[in-house]
Amino acid sequence: MKTQRQVLNAIHRLIEFIARLIYMFIAFLKGPAESQPPIKDLILLHSATTLAFKIRNRQLMSEEIVQSYIDRIKEIQPVLNCMVEDRFEDALKEAKICDELLKSQNAPSPQVLAEKKPFFGVPFTTKDCIGVANMKQTAGLTVRKNIVSKCDAEVIRLMRDAGAIPLATTNVSELAMWWETSNCLYGTTKNPYNTRHIVGGSSGGEGCIQAAAGSPLGIGSDIGGSIRIPSYFNGIFGHKPSTGIVSNDGQYPSAQSEDQKRLLAIGPMCRYAQDLSPILKILADKNADILRLNEKVDISKLKFYYMEDDGGQLLTSPVELEIKEAMRKVIRYLEKAYKVKVTKLNIRKLKKSTALWMANMSCKDEKDFTYELSNRNGHINLWWEFLKWTMFMSNHTLIALLTATFERFAVKHGSDQHTKLIQESRELYREFQDILGEDGVFLFPTHPTAAPLHHEPLVKAFNFSYTAIINVLGLPATACPLGLNKQGLPIGIQIVGGLHQDRLTIAVAEELERGFGGWVPPVIVA
């Protein structure tokens, strides 16, 4: 059995190598990589919390800030294709109302605004899957191209209540079920550090617009890594909250089972770690008290654990040496700065990450991916769609059709194998909880490689398992950037905590931002 695994992995490495040569040649034929425009407006370099402070203290006007971000989006959109729909006019009107209120005799004090509306006048963006009233909610599915959300998703309502202003929606993979952001409606989003490379998915447009300074904060959703993978590929911070903390109401596609509900989480994406906790506090609403976000975290009192890889999962790329070295630098930094001991773990069940995630994703009652691709109106005919795709007539991406095909051979809901994998998922959760408790933090690669070339994920399909297994566990995880690799692409790690210990992972991310610099901005000419 071990020999078979070694042979399969060797074949997979060879396929990856050949495919990369092909994709590099295709990229060469398409011409040189483009660069995102330089930053000319220093307003774009402020954190969201700083912008909110400056607005309520009348140091900056909301309308001025919104206009700065509109101008930036117009600069980057032709190069990166991260946005799908804007509400620029409405956002400017709402910003003007904020400014007029602050000029009035009845203007609330900065203290009141900080408490009641902590993001007063600050613009934000969100992925297309999360409903914004009177805006399209396509989820990258062609048949949904004219579907308009009648009301805000719960998280958008909460952000509005906190004073924030929706600015635009951003691109996603088809039905938010792949880790490259591309669909037949809006096309492919490109990495701001090198347009030959991907932005991740499914919140790839959001990760891209944040990294390119097109928005001060964003909202994403994560069922298998859809916040953390784009955050990692684009060099920003992203947080997947503990399961059940943030409402998923208004997200499409919605979860079809209790297991899927536990996997799915909506959370913040931003350039500065200091923004994570204030945004999460708003999104968590009445559940914020469970997270104790206002409690200070003493890094020196935490227990640290790590793994440099998943132990050698089948058909998964090996973790790149630069990522392992970045992990080691983090460990040395923590040991030196806080005199903590960072313990290496060997959790064997992580080798089954993909299988465990797929078991938790499986649905009964034939609500499979062909059902989702039909917009939950029957089932598409897979073979007919494949035929149409070969003639450039299908409304679906190749990877969506391949995903639906692969699902037919996956573990069936209710089978003995499914029951066994669900049981193993629970055992793994208990193992992690026993290790982490209320004061433990686990450092783990977000992904085994930096952002691949466009379409390269087709031969690296299961690399998402590094994030997906954390969804299975329902634990909080923060994607933390650690600079750029030798190719100029972002790399980093994810920081995982025990259930409801989100404040620990965010606190460690804030510390690593101080130690390693966090988001790397484009050229600044302001």
Side-chain angles (χ1 to χ4, degrees):
M1 186 68 179
K2 185 177 180 180
T3 304
Q4 287 180 331
R5 289 177 63 90
Q6 289 173 337
V7 171
L8 282 172
N9 276 329
I11 293 171
H12 182 238
R13 302 288 180 271
L14 180 61
I15 292 171
E16 282 187 318
F17 177 74
I18 295 171
R20 185 161 185 85
L21 291 178
I22 294 171
Y23 291 128
M24 287 175 69
F25 181 66
I26 293 172
F28 172 77
L29 292 178
K30 288 184 176 180
E34 294 183 77
S35 299
Q36 59 172 311
I39 289 180
K40 303 171 186 175
D41 185 345
L42 293 180
I43 286 177
L44 304 175
L45 296 176
H46 291 306
S47 68
T49 47
T50 299
L51 289 175
F53 176 86
K54 287 180 175 292
I55 291 170
R56 61 177 172 260
N57 285 282
R58 299 182 65 177
Q59 296 171 11
L60 281 174
M61 293 196 301
S62 175
E63 187 177 8
E64 179 184 7
I65 293 168
V66 170
Q67 187 62 59
S68 291
Y69 278 101
I70 290 173
D71 293 342
R72 180 62 179 172
I73 291 173
K74 288 179 178 178
E75 278 187 318
I76 63 175
Q77 179 64 12
V79 178
L80 304 177
N81 189 38
C82 48
M83 183 191 71
V84 297
E85 188 180 7
D86 71 72
R87 59 185 306 276
F88 292 162
E89 289 186 14
D90 288 339
L92 284 169
K93 290 176 183 176
E94 291 164 17
K96 192 172 183 179
I97 291 171
C98 290
D99 293 333
E100 289 173 349
L101 175 61
L102 290 178
K103 293 175 184 176
S104 68
Q105 291 183 343
N106 297 321
S109 68
Q111 294 75 19
V112 169
L113 283 175
E115 180 182 354
K116 301 294 185 183
K117 292 188 177 295
F119 286 99
F120 184 77
V122 177
F124 74 100
T125 47
T126 186
K127 69 189 292 188
D128 170 271
C129 293
I130 298 173
V132 179
N134 302 315
M135 295 187 74
K136 292 179 182 178
Q137 189 181 19
T138 70
L141 193 62
T142 301
V143 73
R144 292 179 60 86
K145 64 183 179 182
N146 295 319
I147 291 182
V148 175
S149 184
K150 295 179 180 178
C151 60
D152 288 330
E154 179 63 7
V155 290
I156 303 301
R157 183 191 70 79
L158 291 169
M159 289 300 295
R160 285 192 198 258
D161 284 352
I165 300 171
L167 187 60
T169 53
T170 51
N171 205 15
V172 297
S173 53
E174 186 170 6
L175 274 177
M177 280 299 291
W178 187 235
W179 53 279
E180 175 171 10
T181 291
S182 183
N183 58 66
C184 294
L185 261 182
Y186 300 116
T188 301
T189 303
K190 300 173 183 178
N191 194 294
Y193 291 90
N194 186 325
T195 55
R196 288 178 172 176
H197 292 257
I198 72 171
V199 294
S202 62
S203 311
E206 195 56 48
C208 176
I209 203 170
Q210 295 299 321
S215 170
L217 70 96
I219 308 298
S221 58
D222 190 317
I223 201 169
S226 292
I227 286 174
R228 288 160 292 151
I229 294 174
S231 294
Y232 167 75
F233 285 163
N234 292 281
I236 64 166
F237 293 89
H239 182 74
K240 183 201 83 67
S242 294
T243 186
I245 287 295
V246 178
S247 171
N248 293 324
D249 289 350
Q251 145 85 25
Y252 188 90
S254 55
Q256 293 275 30
S257 67
E258 289 303 314
D259 287 333
Q260 285 187 7
K261 286 179 182 177
R262 283 191 291 271
L263 296 178
L264 181 61
I266 293 177
M269 301 172 71
C270 49
R271 284 171 280 148
Y272 300 101
Q274 72 182 69
D275 291 333
L276 291 172
S277 187
I279 301 169
L280 179 59
K281 189 175 181 181
I282 292 165
L283 301 183
D285 195 24
K286 295 177 182 177
N287 290 329
D289 290 342
I290 298 173
L291 303 183
R292 296 179 288 161
L293 294 172
N294 291 330
E295 287 187 15
K296 288 189 176 181
V297 176
D298 185 344
I299 303 290
S300 67
K301 298 292 177 60
L302 299 182
K303 297 174 182 176
F304 286 90
Y305 307 90
Y306 78 102
M307 285 178 65
E308 290 186 349
D309 56 40
D310 60 9
Q313 187 175 192
L314 189 65
L315 302 181
T316 303
S317 302
V319 176
E320 291 176 346
L321 291 177
E322 285 185 274
I323 297 171
K324 288 186 176 182
E325 182 54 34
M327 174 82 77
R328 292 165 191 162
K329 286 180 180 178
V330 166
I331 291 167
R332 290 195 293 268
Y333 173 82
L334 292 170
E335 288 179 337
K336 183 176 180 180
Y338 289 97
K339 309 295 186 242
V340 296
K341 177 177 174 53
V342 185
T343 305
K344 188 172 186 178
L345 300 178
N346 181 19
I347 301 175
R348 296 183 180 277
K349 279 190 175 67
L350 290 181
K351 288 184 180 181
K352 301 179 74 172
S353 294
T354 302
L356 295 175
W357 182 81
M358 293 191 70
N360 281 269
M361 278 294 292
S362 65
C363 276
K364 56 184 178 180
D365 302 327
E366 297 186 349
K367 291 181 178 179
D368 61 8
F369 202 51
T370 61
Y371 171 73
E372 295 289 359
L373 289 171
S374 72
N375 196 32
R376 299 181 174 177
N377 183 24
H379 296 261
I380 66 165
N381 185 316
L382 259 183
W383 308 117
W384 176 238
E385 288 298 331
F386 270 119
L387 180 62
K388 287 165 63 179
W389 185 87
T390 62
M391 296 184 288
F392 305 98
M393 295 173 62
S394 177
N395 287 325
H396 301 289
T397 57
L398 175 61
I399 191 57
L401 301 179
L402 290 173
T403 300
T405 304
F406 179 79
E407 187 182 36
R408 294 189 170 184
F409 299 96
V411 62
K412 301 300 179 186
H413 190 280
S415 66
D416 291 343
Q417 180 67 4
H418 174 260
T419 302
K420 181 183 177 183
L421 289 169
I422 294 298
Q423 180 60 34
E424 288 187 54
S425 300
R426 292 168 182 163
E427 290 171 0
L428 183 59
Y429 166 74
R430 286 193 291 270
E431 183 176 356
F432 263 91
Q433 277 298 95
D434 288 343
I435 293 170
L436 298 178
E438 293 189 354
D439 60 356
V441 167
F442 177 58
L443 309 177
F444 195 51
T446 317
H447 202 79
T449 72
L453 296 162
H454 289 293
H455 311 300
E456 197 178 357
L458 284 167
V459 294
K460 302 174 181 284
F462 302 119
N463 285 1
F464 78 100
S465 61
Y466 275 82
T467 48
I469 192 60
I470 309 303
N471 294 80
V472 171
L473 302 175
L475 301 180
T478 305
C480 178
L482 294 172
L484 308 180
N485 68 6
K486 290 177 182 177
Q487 285 73 46
L489 295 169
I491 55 174
I493 59 171
Q494 59 180 325
I495 306 157
V496 183
L499 188 66
H500 300 151
Q501 308 307 315
D502 300 55
R503 72 190 188 286
L504 304 187
T505 70
I506 292 173
V508 173
E510 290 174 348
E511 178 59 34
L512 295 184
E513 181 182 37
R514 287 189 286 270
F516 293 87
W519 169 67
V520 179
V523 175
I524 301 168
V525 297

